[in-house]
Amino acid sequence: MTGPLPDRLGQALLRSLARHPPSAAVGEMAREVLSGRMTLHEATRSLAYAETFAAAARDIRPALDSLSPEEHRQARESADAIADLLDPPEPPPPPKARRRPVEDDWDETCTSPWDDRP
């Protein structure tokens, strides 16, 4: 992945890591990627974050290997729900208050000298 992170779950995970980092390096990396100063691909190649990514890969590999294809499919399908939990969508803005029309207090019984009505 060379550009901005396109998927919602990835964005939510990065925002969660930026807010509650397990280490200073992870928090810094998440903020760098979210700001656009660095892509996730560049972060994986960076010497500053190499050990962080290596440790995460070592920790997650046994868990991923133990999943069945059905479990992999279910995990992909639940990505939106996980993203909602990690980074809830913004509530829609409240509707703008409509102004009530101003009551016209013009007295129709008065006429103007420029009024051409009889």
Side-chain angles (χ1 to χ4, degrees):
M1 176 176 310
T2 57
L5 204 58
D7 67 304
R8 210 169 140 240
L9 179 59
Q11 289 284 337
L13 286 170
L14 282 173
R15 280 191 290 273
S16 178
L17 287 172
R19 281 192 298 259
H20 311 289
S23 70
V26 171
E28 178 185 349
M29 182 271 308
R31 287 187 294 279
E32 291 284 319
V33 173
L34 286 170
S35 71
R37 290 188 296 264
M38 174 184 281
T39 65
L40 196 53
H41 181 75
E42 291 167 342
T44 62
R45 303 269 189 270
S46 168
L47 291 176
Y49 310 122
E51 182 54 37
T52 301
F53 280 105
R58 277 193 308 270
D59 294 344
I60 196 70
R61 191 70 202 164
L64 288 176
D65 289 342
S66 68
L67 292 178
S68 70
E70 177 63 24
E71 290 169 322
H72 275 281
R73 186 187 62 75
Q74 288 173 346
R76 282 191 302 274
E77 288 176 357
S78 63
D80 276 340
I82 294 168
D84 285 342
L85 290 174
L86 289 173
D87 189 33
E90 293 287 324
K96 290 186 178 181
R98 295 186 59 149
R99 291 181 18 184
R100 296 185 59 179
V102 178
E103 277 297 318
D104 189 6
D105 58 352
W106 180 260
D107 185 5
E108 294 292 327
T109 61
C110 296
T111 59
S112 144
W114 299 278
D115 195 1
D116 57 348
R117 290 184 286 176

